[in-house]
Amino acid sequence: MNIPFKPGRRRFIQGAGLLGLNLAASGMPGALAKSAPQTVTVVTSYADEFVSRIEAAFEKAYPQYRLRVVWRMPNDAAPYLQQPDHGGADVYWSASPRTFARLARDNTWRKLPIDSGALPRQVGKTELGDAAGFYTASEIAGFGFAVSPPALTQRGLPLPADWTDLSDPRLAGLIALPVPARVGFAPPMVEIVLQAYGWQRGWALWSEIAANAKPIERGSTFVTDEIAAGRCAIGLSIDFFVNSAIANGAALSFIYPRHTGLNPAHIAVTRNSPNPEGAAAFVNFLLSLNGQKLLAHPDIRRLPIRPDAYAGLPTRQFNPFAAAAEGGLQFDSDAARPRLATSASLFQQMLIEPLAELTPLWRRLQAAEQAGKPLPEVRRLLGAPPIDEAAANDPALHRAIGLRLEGENPAIPTPQELAWGETAARNRHAARKLLDEAGA
Amino acid sequence: MKLKPTLSRLSRLAAFGALFAHFVHAPAGHAAETPAVIDREVLSRPLPGLSAEEEERFRRGRSLFRQSWVIAPANDVAVDGLGPLYNRLACISCHAKNGRGGAPDKPEERMQSMLVRLSLPGRNAQGGPLPHPAYGDQLNEEGIPGVPGEGRAHLHWHHKQARLADGTTVTLRWPSLSFSELAYGKLGKTLTSLRVSPHVAGLGLLDAVEEKTLLALAAEKKPDGVRGTVNLVYDKATGQPAVGRFGLKSNMPNLRQQIAGAFVGDMGITSPLFAQENCTAAQTACAAAPHGGQPELSATQLDEISFYLANLAPPPRRASDSPQVRQGEAHFAELGCATCHRPQLISGEVAGNPRLSRQSFAPYTDLLLHDMGPQLADGRPDHRANGRQWRTAPLWGLGVLTAINEQRGLLHDGRARTAEEAILWHGGEAETARRRYIKADRTQRAALLAFLQSL
């Protein structure tokens, strides 16, 4: 596959335009470019291990350009890029579909200067770019379970193959769960389960999983750290943190559950890019086979967006194109996106805040069930979401939560959200009463 | 030994990826997985015995060490204030995996994990190097948008053959330096010094060695014409002179000041110890740029990252029982290497930290300065270190770097690609040791190198 790109005037290294000093020693030093490389300014939130390697390889492939990296988390990148001159940025390169979509609406991007027709536009139900052609996926990541096989074997527990396996009460306290309202990568996981099992069943499943969980307030390696330290046996995670830990020597496995989805990371060029040719070169490099192959580095471990980049990787390597061809990866991340903050907030109010209260109720119910005393109403109450799906899909609600998150006090829930917590509390109260009455 | 053809970095990276791909995926349903053969976290683990609270602190420090810093103003107030002039975005840019940096292979390649110190002949008020009036004491290649980076440094490699007594030849390379795109006028007659980043594991123990131990080491009478002196530098916290131990010329008195110095010097982040942005009078855009708080790195953050680095466990020995390695260890002593690369140091008392207190450990350094001869000389004095002196490089961790850092070079400027090349550059006080190495037979040399690889 070839992506056409005309590098314009390629300023190759010729002549000796040395401005320097102390060139003592023997012989003429290697020659340098007559004119300095032109700067390509890239805004990103990728970790330095990733950025530095791409930088080195890009500058090697395109010596006429030099990368300047402006590092900002997505919530900081958006206002920076929205400045009329985009803060000097040519490219935005990040794993934040929401930010790309939002800035596309704000007219921040120009049409991508590449012929992306040659690249796949979809894997499973995940779109690899927007329909208008402002941004395209540069890598993808999948969601699943970090597991310590020995920790599970020791307890006589099987390896989990899907989300439903996580509700097994024998996993009590053993699941490291990144809190969706706090950890950037976590919200799509909430939605994967809701899409796969439906609104009611999905929340009921989350509630029972939460009752097994140790909530983790920070992302990145903090989930695998819990497993490494022996405090947990399973961690819910996005794949690359775990696969990178494994490539660095951690005795873990990563399992892609039967129901899972992908988080595409994108790249876009700013409308007023000061160096559009350089920006195009960078985009082309990232999407090229060479650029995509760098994603296999032990410290990066992202999934390539090119099927041909999987050739030569070990057969055990998860290949989302193959998984999709077999009917997997049915999660539609675009459909889930508008609701991500809402479901993360529901998760917080219904499950995380009252976790200490919720967990023992589940334990009592599970004990009763094991003793042959099913209490279906208690099960229903503990798993019932405080609002129905139609209410959760209300754009006005999404806006209100969006405003809160961008406002002065992003951590203080709106009255509406607090009301969800109260509904959930009433449900727990009713459940407790029924458990008491049943002597469970 | 022949010079390896220089692979393009790209294919080197790809090969590196492929090498590891092998270990990665444990499929669902298979419980017993082969543990990875290569442990790339080996320089990132804490000393054993941290309490839960200390572990938490360690991790906070780790996050700061891994953080890519943000241009001010930003919502991310805890980590903003990059630059305006800087070298790299993160500590791990140069200390990847807490490991070592290397030199670029070609003049047009950027320095990804090294830096150039600058100064004029003379001394500053504290007896340290006299900063260049326009460029300061370190070339900051990068500037935030709107602030021109200071310029670019280029390394040009020259090659020669070294011949060992048995006829084996080794290709050595050494760099010369040139500059381009100098944004703040001519450099003029400036002293320069190339520095490759060392790994940062085990530093808490080095920090805990008492001054009197170092002074006693310096006073010891040593064989082979080896001397060894302490550097005497300025402790910013106490305002007093102090024995130096960090930096390649032992130019920093303690870990905390070294870290604060790295923040301001390499990333343009001010801290309670270095409150001034590193903008010179000539750098007006730099001085006018917004800052990220005064100081940008809080005292708590400086404490956390100091705690992190202080409590990183030293690199563990590997294969230390193999007969060849034991042979090599004996040769290491016989050749005179251990006179400078001390196999044992003892730390003093560190209040509240039994892990660091009164420990005997094996860093293979004396933290002293030695004249290493004209070929390694940078000609740039730093406090009491003259232009030919370097701190004995700690050799612990030497053998794990291959697994961790694809770009790595030994000696202060990264010229040596192997331990053998590094030995062959030794001169001055280490001249006798080098000669002995050249005369050693193949088996002895292999054993010595196997020993170094086990460190």
Side-chain angles (χ1 to χ4, degrees):
Chain A
M1 199 169 358
N2 232 332
I3 301 161
F5 164 66
K6 291 201 203 76
R9 270 181 314 140
R10 269 203 163 210
R11 258 173 288 251
F12 267 121
I13 311 303
Q14 286 167 348
L18 290 173
L19 297 160
L21 36 115
N22 57 26
L23 292 173
S26 78
M28 258 312 285
L32 281 180
K34 259 217 174 87
S35 48
Q38 292 175 358
T39 301
V40 181
T41 303
V42 175
V43 177
T44 187
S45 58
Y46 281 122
D48 190 73
E49 284 102 343
F50 191 176
V51 176
S52 285
R53 288 197 172 88
I54 295 295
E55 170 189 72
F58 170 66
E59 291 180 354
K60 190 116 186 163
Y62 292 89
Q64 67 274 42
Y65 297 120
R66 175 187 295 144
L67 217 60
R68 171 167 58 197
V69 177
V70 173
W71 197 92
R72 293 179 102 77
M73 289 299 280
N75 64 336
D76 252 343
Y80 189 86
L81 291 162
Q82 281 166 321
Q83 300 172 84
D85 69 344
H86 317 294
D90 298 294
V91 174
Y92 184 47
W93 171 49
S94 220
S96 180
R98 276 181 276 188
T99 311
F100 281 90
R102 190 174 126 206
L103 294 187
R105 284 195 301 275
D106 287 0
N107 206 14
T108 304
W109 313 133
R110 63 171 64 200
K111 287 273 157 108
L112 269 176
I114 54 154
D115 172 11
S116 49
L119 297 169
R121 300 319 299 147
Q122 221 180 17
V123 50
K125 280 225 177 98
T126 302
E127 299 290 334
L128 295 179
D130 66 328
F134 286 116
Y135 54 93
T136 194
S138 57
E139 48 99 349
I140 35 192
F143 296 94
F145 313 147
V147 300
S148 159
L152 289 171
T153 330
Q154 268 165 30
R155 296 174 169 90
L157 291 166
L159 292 176
D162 210 351
W163 301 92
T164 42
D165 296 337
L166 304 182
S167 63
D168 187 332
R170 290 175 297 170
L171 288 170
L174 293 178
I175 300 178
L177 184 148
V179 172
R182 304 272 181 269
V183 177
F185 70 72
M189 290 199 285
V190 179
E191 288 288 341
I192 285 173
V193 169
L194 297 179
Q195 270 188 24
Y197 301 95
W199 185 258
Q200 296 293 340
R201 232 190 110 205
W203 279 112
L205 180 54
W206 267 128
S207 181
E208 202 164 4
I209 294 174
N212 286 337
K214 177 170 196 289
I216 309 292
E217 298 270 334
R218 278 172 298 174
S220 74
T221 58
F222 288 90
V223 171
T224 45
D225 283 344
E226 286 303 305
I227 303 176
R231 288 187 286 268
C232 291
I234 298 179
L236 310 188
S237 186
I238 196 159
D239 55 5
F240 56 85
F241 289 124
V242 185
N243 288 334
S244 171
I246 295 169
N248 276 284
L252 298 172
S253 296
F254 190 79
I255 294 170
Y256 294 91
R258 269 194 291 281
H259 294 93
T260 190
L262 302 171
N263 194 49
H266 298 105
I267 185 156
V269 178
T270 55
R271 186 160 36 90
N272 300 320
S273 157
N275 184 1
E277 274 185 22
F282 185 68
V283 175
N284 274 299
F285 173 74
L286 272 184
L287 302 182
S288 71
L289 186 56
N290 277 337
Q292 289 289 305
K293 283 199 157 169
L294 293 175
L295 300 176
H297 188 284
D299 295 342
I300 302 176
R301 285 282 152 197
R302 303 303 209 279
L303 300 172
I305 47 97
R306 294 175 68 113
D308 56 351
Y310 291 85
L313 292 179
T315 46
R316 287 160 157 198
Q317 162 75 43
F318 178 70
N319 180 338
F321 294 99
E326 287 161 16
L329 300 176
Q330 288 304 302
F331 174 63
D332 182 343
S333 55
D334 282 345
R337 185 159 314 123
R339 207 171 70 185
L340 285 176
T342 304
S343 48
S345 172
L346 275 165
F347 202 102
Q348 190 71 14
Q349 298 301 330
M350 170 182 164
L351 306 176
I352 297 294
E353 304 276 347
L355 192 60
E357 207 187 308
L358 178 68
T359 305
L361 296 177
W362 273 109
R363 292 288 98 85
R364 288 169 67 186
L365 169 66
Q366 288 157 342
E369 287 175 340
Q370 261 160 24
K373 271 202 278 175
L375 297 163
E377 181 56 11
V378 174
R379 191 162 258 288
R380 191 194 66 76
L381 285 166
L382 293 183
I387 51 173
D388 64 20
E389 185 161 23
N393 286 342
D394 179 4
L397 173 63
H398 303 164
R399 262 196 307 280
I401 292 181
L403 282 177
R404 159 171 76 82
L405 292 174
E406 282 156 32
E408 293 269 298
N409 293 310
I412 298 181
T414 60
Q416 214 167 351
E417 294 166 274
L418 289 174
W420 302 340
E422 284 155 24
T423 306
R426 277 194 298 276
N427 287 341
R428 284 193 307 278
H429 185 77
R432 184 179 301 110
K433 231 173 112 204
L434 290 175
L435 284 165
D436 290 347
E437 282 164 16
Chain B
M1 207 175 80
K2 274 260 182 85
L3 177 65
K4 274 205 236 119
T6 326
L7 285 170
S8 83
R9 172 136 347 122
L10 202 63
S11 58
R12 242 166 42 200
L13 285 174
F16 200 67
L19 184 74
F20 285 95
H22 189 65
F23 304 110
V24 179
H25 279 271
H30 291 243
E33 275 305 313
T34 12
V37 175
I38 293 171
D39 177 1
R40 300 183 73 242
E41 294 294 333
V42 65
L43 299 181
S44 306
R45 300 218 166 82
L47 289 161
L50 296 193
S51 68
E53 204 178 305
E54 288 169 327
E55 204 175 298
E56 190 49 36
R57 218 168 148 213
F58 181 85
R59 289 188 197 174
R60 282 199 300 272
R62 180 181 71 182
S63 297
L64 291 169
F65 196 70
R66 294 181 179 176
Q67 177 72 44
S68 293
W69 287 71
V70 176
I71 297 167
N75 294 322
D76 232 347
V77 284
V79 294
D80 73 343
L82 177 75
L85 291 164
Y86 63 99
N87 287 82
R88 304 289 295 160
L89 294 180
C91 303
I92 55 161
S93 311
C94 292
H95 303 283
K97 296 265 147 200
N98 294 347
R100 187 175 180 104
D105 288 329
K106 296 200 185 131
E108 66 274 18
E109 278 172 28
R110 75 158 75 218
M111 293 184 172
Q112 267 209 317
S113 51
M114 71 185 296
L115 52 88
V116 188
R117 297 213 179 285
L118 306 169
S119 55
L120 297 184
R123 285 169 191 279
N124 71 6
Q126 283 86 42
L130 191 61
H132 188 285
Y135 290 91
D137 60 8
Q138 178 174 325
L139 184 75
N140 289 135
E141 296 190 294
E142 304 289 336
I144 62 171
V147 179
E150 290 184 330
R152 295 284 153 174
H154 309 279
L155 284 193
H156 310 266
W157 293 107
H158 313 276
H159 295 89
K160 70 174 183 182
Q161 300 283 320
R163 186 174 285 275
L164 311 186
D166 67 2
T168 309
T169 57
V170 180
T171 303
L172 301 179
R173 64 168 195 180
W174 77 97
S176 58
L177 174 63
S178 70
F179 296 94
S180 68
E181 301 174 60
L182 290 169
Y184 301 93
K186 287 221 169 75
L187 263 178
K189 248 182 99 67
T190 301
L191 308 177
T192 60
S193 184
L194 287 165
R195 304 283 169 96
V196 157
S197 51
H199 78 70
V200 293
L203 300 186
L205 290 165
L206 293 178
D207 202 28
V209 175
E210 290 174 294
E211 287 202 350
K212 65 170 191 251
T213 307
L214 298 178
L215 291 166
L217 275 180
E220 258 177 38
K221 226 175 130 42
K222 304 173 193 75
D224 304 333
V226 174
R227 292 181 301 278
T229 55
V230 294
N231 201 349
L232 210 58
V233 302
Y234 178 71
D235 184 333
K236 291 201 72 149
T238 62
Q240 297 297 315
V243 169
R245 63 185 78 208
F246 292 113
L248 307 190
K249 284 193 183 258
S250 285
N251 42 306
M252 281 290 185
N254 54 53
L255 193 52
R256 193 179 156 90
Q257 184 166 329
Q258 167 68 47
I259 292 167
F263 266 103
V264 77
D266 305 340
M267 283 157 32
I269 309 278
T270 57
S271 64
L273 280 182
F274 294 88
Q276 293 291 317
E277 289 286 4
N278 56 349
C279 311
T280 64
Q283 296 168 335
T284 44
C286 179
H291 60 72
Q294 282 173 324
E296 290 161 338
L297 184 80
S298 70
T300 313
Q301 288 175 312
L302 180 55
D303 287 344
E304 286 167 351
I305 192 166
S306 301
F307 184 84
Y308 171 64
L309 289 178
N311 286 284
L312 279 173
R317 283 291 302 275
R318 294 156 320 285
S320 53
D321 287 338
S322 110
Q324 192 194 28
V325 166
R326 278 208 240 141
Q327 284 261 305
E329 188 163 10
H331 297 321
F332 189 75
E334 289 150 19
L335 301 185
C337 314
T339 313
C340 302
H341 297 285
R342 295 276 173 151
Q344 191 196 35
L345 285 181
I346 294 181
S347 62
E349 186 71 36
V350 178
N353 197 332
R355 296 173 298 279
L356 297 175
S357 297
R358 292 179 312 280
Q359 301 290 322
S360 162
F361 59 102
Y364 297 92
T365 179
D366 55 7
L367 295 175
L368 299 181
L369 299 168
H370 297 275
D371 181 331
M372 293 298 283
Q375 292 191 309
L376 286 179
D378 66 349
R380 179 181 181 272
D382 195 327
H383 295 87
R384 291 230 183 136
N386 67 33
R388 290 161 63 112
Q389 284 176 317
W390 295 103
R391 178 188 74 175
T392 305
L395 298 182
W396 58 7
L398 202 58
V400 304
L401 299 174
T402 335
I404 295 179
N405 301 117
E406 55 260 58
Q407 191 188 40
R408 69 189 174 277
L410 301 180
L411 299 175
H412 64 275
D413 54 13
R415 67 174 72 184
R417 290 153 295 188
T418 61
E420 179 168 64
E421 288 181 31
I423 298 166
L424 294 172
W425 281 111
H426 281 49
E429 294 173 38
E431 179 62 22
T432 308
R434 182 182 67 91
R435 292 223 177 113
R436 291 195 189 114
Y437 179 81
I438 288 177
K439 291 207 195 98
D441 67 31
R442 197 174 285 273
T443 329
Q444 290 167 331
R445 295 199 311 268
L448 179 76
L449 298 175
F451 164 67
L452 294 178
Q453 192 61 25
S454 79
L455 295 180

